[in-house]
């Protein structure tokens, strides 16, 4: 397995790299998904270690880890919402889509679950992506062998 996180330049030169199999800081066991926020942080779903690791996108410096939200199941995929306030995380074995608070710039803090969508048994959500213009959520499900689209709707000023 390729347990690495690599940043390449436009010329395909390695700018920085982390990775070897393990449970330590900047080590991975099946890194499965990444997303980058506007604060120059790279968030990596480190599936085999049941955590999300965070790195500086410019220097590659390790910034922190979120693990307390993933005691039952690992994060398989992570994406930042268009408003940059939340992370959407799918968890395959518990059939869940979780919404986590995104920390403010300059902090990593502890992960905090805001909301959970419980999917039917054996759906097995595997990957997630968001349409940055409409906020639609796309979930690829390996158990159900399909992709679902969830569209946001508004109740006053709150989007669900």
């Amino acid at each position: 397995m390729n347990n690495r996180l690599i940043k390449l330049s436009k010329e395909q030169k390695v700018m920085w790299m982390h990775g070897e199999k393990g449970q330590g800081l900047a080590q991975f066991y099946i890194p499965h998904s990444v997303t980058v926020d506007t604060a120059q942080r790279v968030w990596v779903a480190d599936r085999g270690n049941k955590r999300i690791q965070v790195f500086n996108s410019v220097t590659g410096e390790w910034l922190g880890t979120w693990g307390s939200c993933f005691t039952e199941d690992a994060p398989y995929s992570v994406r930042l919402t268009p408003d940059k306030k939340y992370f959407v995380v799918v968890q395959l074995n518990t059939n869940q889509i979780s919404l986590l608070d995104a920390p403010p710039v300059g902090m990593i803090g502890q992960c905090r679950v805001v909301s959970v969508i419980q999917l039917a048994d054996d759906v097995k959500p595997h990957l997630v992506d968001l349409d940055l213009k409409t906020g639609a959520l796309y979930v690829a499900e390996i158990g159900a062998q399909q992709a679902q689209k969830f569209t946001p709707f508004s109740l006053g000023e709150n989007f669900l």
Side-chain angles (χ1 to χ4, degrees):
M1 280 254 169
N2 183 356
N3 291 290
R4 295 185 291 176
L5 176 64
I6 302 170
K7 180 178 180 178
L8 300 173
S9 69
K10 291 179 183 178
E11 297 78 29
Q12 305 302 310
K13 305 280 187 212
V14 175
M15 297 179 72
W16 54 260
M17 178 176 66
H18 287 288
E20 63 181 63
K21 185 176 178 179
Q23 297 176 345
L25 306 181
Q27 293 181 330
F28 301 102
Y29 183 45
I30 313 175
H32 205 260
S33 172
V34 299
T35 194
V36 180
D37 67 16
T38 56
Q40 299 179 329
R41 298 177 293 193
V42 180
W43 300 78
V44 182
D46 186 6
R47 186 175 104 189
N49 287 320
K50 291 186 176 181
R51 64 186 179 185
I52 292 177
Q53 292 199 68
V54 190
F55 299 85
N56 179 293
S57 67
V58 176
T59 65
E61 174 189 6
W62 180 87
L63 300 174
T65 298
W66 278 1
S68 62
C69 289
F70 310 110
T71 56
E72 291 183 45
D73 193 13
Y76 273 64
S77 187
V78 60
R79 290 291 180 268
L80 193 58
T81 58
D83 63 8
K84 313 297 185 213
K85 292 181 180 179
Y86 305 100
F87 288 103
V88 178
V89 176
V90 294
Q91 294 173 280
L92 182 121
N93 296 308
T94 55
N95 297 297
Q96 293 179 336
I97 303 169
S98 298
L99 192 65
L100 310 177
D101 266 336
V105 174
M107 295 183 65
I108 300 301
Q110 294 297 313
C111 60
R112 189 176 85 78
V113 177
V114 175
S115 181
V116 174
I117 300 170
Q118 183 64 55
L119 302 172
D121 288 344
D122 297 322
V123 168
K124 305 294 184 203
H126 192 248
L127 293 172
V128 63
D129 209 349
L130 287 144
D131 184 319
L132 297 180
K133 291 182 182 174
T134 68
L137 173 71
Y138 295 88
V139 179
E141 303 166 347
I142 60 173
Q145 297 183 348
Q146 66 182 10
Q148 285 198 62
K149 176 182 178 182
F150 296 86
T151 55
F153 64 92
S154 173
L155 293 176
E157 293 183 20
N158 297 320
F159 282 93
L160 304 173

